Every structure is written in structure tokens, then in C-alpha cells.
Amino acid sequence: MKPTIVRQYETVSGNAPVQGPAAAQTGLMGRALIMTLSGECRVEALRPGDRVITRDSGTATLRHLRRRRVTSPVVHIKARSLGHNRPEGDAMLPAGQPVLVRDWRARALFGADQALVPASRLVDGEFVTLQPDAAMTVYNLEFDNPHVLYVDGLELASHMGDHVTS
């Protein structure tokens, strides 16, 4: 079953959306731990050809790793606030980074069994907070197709690139 993709500019439960160029900012922080066939690895240590474990296809071969500096609002997710050990520790994501939600939150907030939503859509002001624009280095992982990756105990979308349809 494919997750529902929730558009970035809608509002849910009165949460203000992230708009403008910052809404398009996605990526993974370099110190984040990602699941690979060799075990957990820092995102910044990945190289093209590495095999990454994915939720949707088992594994995928990393084709490109793009590093870039961005200025974006940052979403801070407290440890274990999205379910049992999810995330395992505090996590920080650019506000536009798609997160797979597949528990009661998906049904209650988005009307679907699972939904791929920008991290900013999960902000509740207590356990998931939005911090002001910050300059950061992010990594975009590119595969032959988009995938859902296991990163810091979260399920995050890989870089969509040209694979996004409107």
C-alpha cells in the first residue's frame, strides 16, 4: 500500500504551513544514522554504491549523495514522541523533509492508514517543535526510484528529485 502524499501548503488542526522556498528544503543531517546492509552508518559516510535498507523494496543501491548548505526552518522531534522508540533519540530535520506516518496519527490527522508528510506538519508545539531558520548542511540521497529509508528510528523519504509527480 502506497502512503498518501500530503501536500506541503495545506493546514491541519490550525498548524501554519511552511511556505515559500523553505518548504522545498529537504535532506538528512550528516550525523543521522541510516540503516544499510553493513549496519547503521552516518549519512555523511555513505558513498555511491552503498546498499541502503528501505521500507518499500528491501534494499536499494545509492546512486548519488548530494551535499548542500541550506537555510530552512528546523523541526525538532523529541525521542520516543512518535511511538515506541521512534525516534530513538532526539532528531532534527529540515521542515520540508517528508516523514512516513503510519499509526493512529495518520488516520487522525490525515485520514489515511499511512501518509508521507513534511516534518513541519507534525509540529505540536510540545514534543515536535518548529525552530527558526538555521543554516545547515544536508545530504540528499538519490536512488533509481524514491524510497522510504530508516533514519534515526524514523521512516523518511529519500530525495524525490525528478520522480515527483503533481
Side-chain angles (χ1 to χ4, degrees):
M1 168 190 285
K2 290 185 120 180
T4 299
I5 297 177
V6 177
R7 299 289 172 217
Q8 297 211 5
Y9 302 110
E10 300 170 14
T11 59
V12 173
S13 304
N15 290 340
V18 175
Q19 297 186 20
Q25 300 301 334
T26 64
L28 307 176
M29 304 296 222
R31 303 222 18 103
L33 291 173
I34 186 167
M35 293 299 301
T36 71
L37 280 181
S38 303
E40 285 187 323
C41 176
R42 297 264 182 225
V43 168
E44 62 195 5
L46 290 173
R47 299 290 175 257
D50 285 346
R51 304 270 304 172
V52 176
I53 297 174
T54 71
R55 175 169 175 73
D56 52 295
S57 68
T59 63
T61 302
L62 181 64
R63 299 296 179 203
H64 300 286
L65 179 70
R66 306 223 189 272
R67 179 181 153 198
R68 59 195 176 103
R69 285 292 282 170
V70 299
T71 300
S72 169
V74 177
V75 173
H76 179 257
I77 304 171
K78 289 185 179 178
R80 296 174 293 289
S81 61
L82 296 181
H84 181 69
N85 290 334
R86 292 187 53 183
E88 296 164 357
D90 288 1
M92 295 180 72
L93 301 169
Q97 175 59 45
V99 177
L100 180 63
V101 179
R102 57 182 183 92
D103 60 4
W104 63 268
R105 289 167 193 82
R107 176 66 56 203
L109 297 174
F110 309 110
D113 290 336
Q114 55 183 2
L116 195 57
V117 300
S120 63
R121 296 293 302 276
L122 302 175
V123 171
D124 63 14
E126 184 176 350
F127 301 104
V128 182
T129 57
L130 185 64
Q131 300 174 354
D133 281 358
M136 65 188 99
T137 300
V138 296
Y139 294 80
N140 291 113
L141 283 59
E142 297 179 9
F143 302 90
D144 289 335
N145 295 297
H147 293 285
V148 174
L149 313 172
Y150 297 105
V151 181
D152 284 340
L154 296 169
E155 295 170 330
L156 306 178
S158 66
H159 182 63
M160 301 285 209
D162 296 328
H163 303 294
V164 174
T165 58
S166 31

